[in-house]
Every structure is written in C-alpha cells, then in structure tokens.
Amino acid sequence: QVQLVESGGGFVQAGGSLRLSCAASGSIFSINAMGWYRQASGKQLELVARFTGGANTNYADSVKGRFTISSDAASNTWYLQMNDLKPEDTAVYSCNAAVRTTTSRAAYSFWGQGTQVTVSS
C-alpha cells in the first residue's frame, strides 16, 4: 500500500559527498513525519536526521554541520545531503516515514529497503 524507495548510496572517499533520496508512493493520504536512520555493522540502529514538525529538524550530534535533511512535499520525496563524509559514517541508511494511508485514520511507520554507504579512509 505504501512503498519507500531509496537511492543514492555508494562508495566514496573520506571528505566526499553523497545525496540520498527517498521517494514514497502508494495509498498516501499524508506523511506526518520523515527521517533517516543508519545501522553500521555490529551496531544498533541510530537516528541520523528527521523532521520533527513543520520545518523543524533534529540531527545526531555526529552529523551536525555535515548532513542536511530536506524534502519536496509535492513529490513525497525527501533527501539527505551528506558532506565531509567520514569512515565512521559507513552504514546502511534507511528512510522512515509515518504515513497516514487513504484507508486509515492512524499513521503507520514505513521503512525503505536501505542503501549502503561506504566511506573509505
């Protein structure tokens, strides 16, 4: 009913940049929240960046000043611009959204499939 499709991951050298995209499609009535999470090998899932209401954003301390979350409401797409990448940013990045579908009154959490970001030193 709702699909989140990510793109933009890959391999980059330290100091480089990547831009991730997440496009939501399906039976969408509204998207109430959206964000990016990551999970490095052997570590727990952690929040990277998210919209917390309106245009307000929240970032992990480790990415502040380097990553920027943005969105295009018209296309139900949001982005994660990642600059000055470091080897410790290597992880699988997943987008997440709280979506109210056309057949529900509540919002449910949906996840993308994940995209690998690898940063070499």
Side-chain angles (χ1 to χ4, degrees):
Q1 71 198 137
V2 175
Q3 299 82 37
L4 304 186
V5 178
E6 299 145 350
S7 60
F11 182 93
V12 65
Q13 290 187 334
S17 298
L18 285 173
R19 188 193 195 202
L20 305 182
S21 300
C22 182
S25 63
S27 305
I28 299 171
F29 179 82
S30 64
I31 299 178
N32 298 350
M34 58 187 72
W36 290 95
Y37 293 76
R38 68 185 181 186
Q39 187 167 24
S41 180
K43 296 188 177 180
Q44 290 186 332
L45 186 70
E46 66 171 348
L47 171 70
V48 178
R50 65 181 176 184
F51 286 102
T52 57
N56 296 320
T57 56
N58 183 35
Y59 292 91
D61 288 342
S62 60
V63 306
K64 284 180 181 177
R66 300 188 296 121
F67 291 12
T68 303
I69 188 171
S70 61
S71 68
D72 178 359
S75 63
N76 288 330
T77 303
W78 56 104
Y79 308 93
L80 185 67
Q81 177 66 44
M82 305 185 292
N83 298 329
D84 190 22
L85 283 160
K86 303 177 180 181
E88 52 264 41
D89 295 319
T90 295
V92 174
Y93 286 71
S94 300
C95 59
N96 172 260
V99 179
R100 181 182 170 186
T101 69
T102 55
T103 58
S104 69
R105 294 184 178 181
Y108 294 92
S109 180
F110 291 89
W111 290 87
Q113 80 280 6
T115 185
Q116 177 70 45
V117 171
T118 302
V119 185
S120 67
S121 57

